[in-house]
Amino acid sequence: MAQDHLSASSPLAEHARLAAFAGEWNGEEMVFPSRWTEGGPATSRTVARMDLNGFYLIQDSVQMRDGKQAFATHGLFTYDRDDRTYKLFWYDSLGYTPPSPASGGWVGNTLTLVRGSLRGNARHVYEIIDDASYSLKIQFSPDAEGWADVLTGIYRRIH
């Protein structure tokens, strides 16, 4: 009997762990001066949901600065059972298409994901503070050794 290659597999516990970031969140951010933007405080609104049979966390964020939308992102998180790492497919309003997803894993309550491109390297560090809050630090490095903060934020669940 031929194996059905289209039959659905089930999400793993690693997929379910991403549900910690599902929900609606308000963020207070600090944007650091970079080649992309001036530094300064910002606020953000993030809406994230587990979807596609529980295999993916889909996250959309809008950042506001000085009363105007300054930046927007669309992230798709998953666990890759083949190489046993988490993946982040990240798209934003700067319009660059990433050549590959960020990749990484959990250490305790911290999920760290790194990706490289011809422009340099980005590192996303998500730390679960408690059930109602998490922090995010996005960093940049031209050589993946010396990291500079691009954005830091604290996000609180909207009840």
Side-chain angles (χ1 to χ4, degrees):
M1 180 174 195
Q3 182 179 357
D4 183 0
H5 293 286
L6 296 178
S7 64
S9 58
S10 298
L12 303 173
E14 288 86 353
H15 293 103
R17 191 163 186 192
L18 292 168
F21 301 110
E24 295 184 35
W25 307 83
N26 282 331
E28 294 181 21
E29 300 173 332
M30 179 54 64
V31 178
F32 293 84
S34 69
R35 61 182 167 180
W36 301 285
T37 188
E38 295 179 18
T43 60
S44 68
R45 169 82 177 223
T46 299
V47 177
R49 69 186 189 282
M50 293 300 294
D51 209 337
L52 302 172
N53 293 331
F55 287 104
Y56 299 92
L57 173 78
I58 300 171
Q59 180 189 72
D60 292 295
S61 296
V62 173
Q63 181 188 81
M64 303 293 288
R65 294 180 72 186
D66 300 320
K68 299 178 196 161
Q69 181 176 319
F71 191 62
T73 66
H74 179 76
L76 184 74
F77 298 73
T78 193
Y79 178 74
D80 185 331
R81 65 180 80 222
D82 290 334
D83 72 7
R84 298 183 181 174
T85 61
Y86 285 86
K87 303 291 185 189
L88 168 58
F89 298 83
W90 177 269
Y91 304 93
D92 61 42
S93 57
L94 294 177
Y96 296 113
T97 300
S100 61
S103 187
W106 289 91
V107 174
N109 286 335
T110 302
L111 175 61
T112 302
L113 301 151
V114 178
R115 76 174 176 280
S117 74
L118 295 175
R119 292 179 309 284
N121 302 279
R123 178 165 65 183
H124 295 231
V125 181
Y126 296 84
E127 182 178 1
I128 297 173
I129 299 168
D130 56 37
D131 289 343
S133 59
Y134 71 91
S135 66
L136 168 61
K137 180 173 15 180
I138 299 177
Q139 298 174 307
F140 177 79
S141 172
D143 58 9
E145 292 186 22
W147 294 95
D149 289 344
V150 174
L151 177 139
T152 59
I154 300 288
Y155 305 84
R156 292 178 177 78
R157 188 179 300 278
I158 301 169
H159 296 284

